[in-house]
Amino acid sequence: MAGIASKLAKDRAREAGLGTNDSVLNFMKQDYKALKEECLQSGTLFEDKTFPAVPSSLGFKELGPYSQKTHGVRWKRPQEIVSDPQFIIGGATRTDICQGALGDCWLLAAIASITLNEQIMSRVVPPDQSFTDSYAGIFHFQFWQFGDWYDVVIDDRLPTKDGELLFVHSKEKNEFWPALLEKAYAKMNGSYEALAGGSTTEGFEDFTGGVSEWFDLKKAPSNLFQIIKKSLKTGSLLGCSIDITNAAETEGITFQKLVKGHAYSLTGAEEVIYRGRPEKLVRMRNPWGTIEWTGAWSDNAPEWNSIDAAVKDRLVNRCDDGEFWMSFTEFLRHFSRLEICSLTPDALSSDKYSKWSLTQHHSSWRRGANAGGCANHTFTFWTNPQFRLVLDEADDDPDDNEVGCTFVINLLQKNRRKEKKMGEDMQTIGYAIYEVPPELENSQLRRDFFASNKSATRSETFINLRDITCRHKLPPGHFVIVPSTFEPNKNADFCLRVFSEKQATAQQMGEEIEANIVTPEISEDDIDPNFKHVFERISGEDQQISALEMRNILNTVLAKRTDIKTDGFTLPTCTEILLYFDKDGSGKLGIVEFKMLWTKIENYLQVYKKVDLDRSGTMSCYEMRGALEEIGIKLNTSLYSIIAARYSDDDLLVDFDNFIRCVFRLEAMFEAFKYFDVENSGTIELSLGHWLFIGMM
């Protein structure tokens, strides 16, 4: 129940606008300003009890409490390490960052990238922090995490060994912003060790709230130049690099002054007329601020003399500032990889950018409920979460003759780093997108649809990284996105984001809760004489059926069935069923009530057999979902998860008696809600007594 309450609280916070770029959430409910003021008033230095200076904050295995790697570690504040600690010296730059004893180079590469963008850097590393003015041993940083922005508070006690910082440190020994930033990120992920291993795109996303995609330039798509131009217009961050074949090549300089294994920024793209024909150019920047390309279209290259003088004056800046132009063809030949980080609309304050449209949804896969696995698993794939995607408006692109809607899908699994210490790893994830005919536009797609329709497009592969991002272009229309793990029955929470050039809508399907249950109206006159005779014989002198008598009847009948597997109805189950039909509170059923019960059980038996496609005599949790919908009951993922946990065995199989017990319990709950919802509003207010009454049903 606590987990459900927490999810509801997060959903309400998002609805209220919290967690956005302009209204960050306090991580672990810690308010930086209030905590700092409290320390200043008391004259004490802040000590963070939520991420204490103890071995468990370092890690759980390789950096665990008894690891040789953490032997001799001492937590020290910066003034205990150097005499004149500084937060930032001369501005934050990529050369400030030096890796320590932790395998988080992916994170450090992402940190280095954001130093190139002042707006983003000041967001992640809030200014006006220092070791002099109003120093209280407390600092804060801001990160994006699974759809929300958080302000993370830390104290400045840092792990050291032999008097030196153990993990990331600055080239300047008295500069501490990189080490403090790493600590805040470690806190958000549970420990320092949780940061070992990852991709730069993961860090890039958490520092910008954007979505990163990368391109192998040896296999570049034919429209890559258009993609680059559009990305620059939307304020995206573009980086590129030249692969190395061995460590000795790191930051080696080619004869045309390109640096291998080094991160460049791509800052511009233009098409000029050169000697009567179009020439595509890209502008690059070496973050060192020096060492520029010396080939064609470099600052002093002769090619500039053969284009329009006004264009030349606009583009060329002849100084050694690290920025240069080169032809797009040379760019593809010399560079290996291009990475594009598209920013969310709320991260772009300037009106000069045309902004992506963004929709995002939070959901989960739950074993036995909606973790159906990839399309190879035909019996369960349809149970995966489904998101309707409506593409109404084609791109505005005069250079592209293909009419279509461009969008980027980002599927991101949540909290997997935090769960490392519990032995969890990344799930293998991907998605497929299907075009939907008009008659199914508002319906959740079922097994028969996927059996007869191929996907319109899909993720390039399934991958066991935190997230997968792919760019697509489809004609206007209605589609359904089906995200999944590769294998079924894998638990994970995820965030699905759709970045589109034009306005697009996406919403999750199949999360409504409703019941359209048919209950037969029966009078005593409608009852068959043979049924009356049997009832009179088994009900005894009082002509009523008790829970014990009901159990004996049901089990006697079921024992004769070879097509249904069951251990038989238990007395508590029969008592629960009886309470649903016992309208007069006698604790027993009369002939009319028993006839209604028997009619329902016969109907549900037919449903049970219908969904038992493999004729095993039992149903899986996924088949049970179909059975409930056949009866007229639709539930959301959370409720299907509860049902799977409560009514199935370890193999996710549901026998007949548990199926009947579940159905009658749900019917009773829906009926109780309907009774209290006198205005048919879909909401009710309950006293404590009414709440307990429903809970005990």
Side-chain angles (χ1 to χ4, degrees), residues 244-253 260-261:
I244 58 174
T245 56
N246 57 68
E249 287 187 337
T250 302
E251 298 194 339
I253 301 174
K260 294 184 176 181

Side-chain angles (χ1 to χ4, degrees), residues 445-673:
L445 303 179
R446 305 299 298 267
R447 178 175 171 266
D448 54 351
F449 174 87
F450 295 110
S452 57
N453 289 274
K454 292 184 177 180
S455 61
T457 186
R458 59 178 60 239
S459 55
E460 294 176 1
T461 183
F462 276 74
I463 193 166
N464 63 339
L465 295 176
R466 186 182 75 164
D467 60 326
I468 184 168
T469 302
C470 295
R471 180 179 292 251
H472 306 279
K473 189 171 187 177
L474 291 173
H478 288 244
F479 302 85
V480 163
I481 308 168
V482 186
S484 72
T485 56
F486 187 72
E487 295 291 338
N489 295 321
K490 301 294 185 181
N491 291 324
D493 298 317
F494 68 85
C495 176
L496 178 74
R497 296 190 291 166
V498 181
F499 286 70
S500 54
E501 288 197 10
K502 293 292 186 177
Q503 187 67 39
T505 59
Q507 67 181 71
Q508 186 162 1
M509 307 292 289
E511 285 295 286
E512 65 272 11
I513 300 174
E514 61 182 46
N516 297 302
I517 304 166
V518 177
T519 300
E521 293 290 335
I522 297 175
S523 68
E524 192 164 350
D525 295 337
D526 299 326
I527 299 175
D528 181 83
N530 290 330
F531 187 89
K532 286 184 179 181
H533 177 70
V534 173
F535 181 82
E536 289 169 357
R537 179 168 55 83
I538 63 178
S539 60
E541 294 182 3
D542 63 354
Q543 292 296 285
Q544 293 200 325
I545 299 292
S546 67
L548 180 60
E549 290 168 327
M550 183 197 300
R551 185 191 68 173
N552 294 336
I553 296 166
L554 293 175
N555 287 343
T556 299
V557 172
L558 286 177
K560 299 176 182 179
R561 303 290 299 245
T562 58
D563 55 347
I564 299 295
K565 289 184 180 179
T566 176
D567 293 330
F569 285 84
T570 65
L571 187 58
T573 295
C574 290
T575 301
E576 195 171 315
I577 295 172
L578 184 145
L579 288 173
Y580 174 62
F581 287 92
D582 178 19
K583 304 304 181 184
D584 59 8
S586 65
K588 294 186 176 183
L589 301 183
I591 187 170
V592 173
E593 295 165 328
F594 187 69
K595 177 61 176 177
M596 291 176 64
L597 164 65
W598 195 258
T599 302
K600 276 185 171 287
I601 288 179
E602 285 185 320
N603 291 337
Y604 295 159
L605 177 61
Q606 295 306 312
V607 172
Y608 189 87
K609 291 175 62 179
K610 180 179 179 180
V611 301
D612 179 19
L613 299 177
D614 59 1
R615 301 294 182 262
S616 65
T618 62
M619 68 167 69
S620 71
C621 285
Y622 299 104
E623 291 172 330
M624 184 172 181
R625 178 172 168 179
L628 291 175
E629 293 187 8
E630 185 80 19
I631 291 167
I633 297 174
K634 291 184 178 180
L635 306 174
N636 62 21
T637 300
S638 298
L639 290 169
Y640 281 126
S641 299
I642 292 171
I643 286 172
R646 181 171 293 177
Y647 295 104
S648 69
D649 62 18
D650 291 343
D651 296 320
L652 296 178
L653 297 177
V654 183
D655 59 16
F656 183 66
D657 52 299
N658 271 315
F659 171 64
I660 293 297
R661 178 178 161 220
C662 174
V663 172
F664 284 139
R665 180 69 180 272
L666 285 169
E667 286 195 30
M669 297 295 287
F670 276 109
E671 190 171 297
F673 184 90

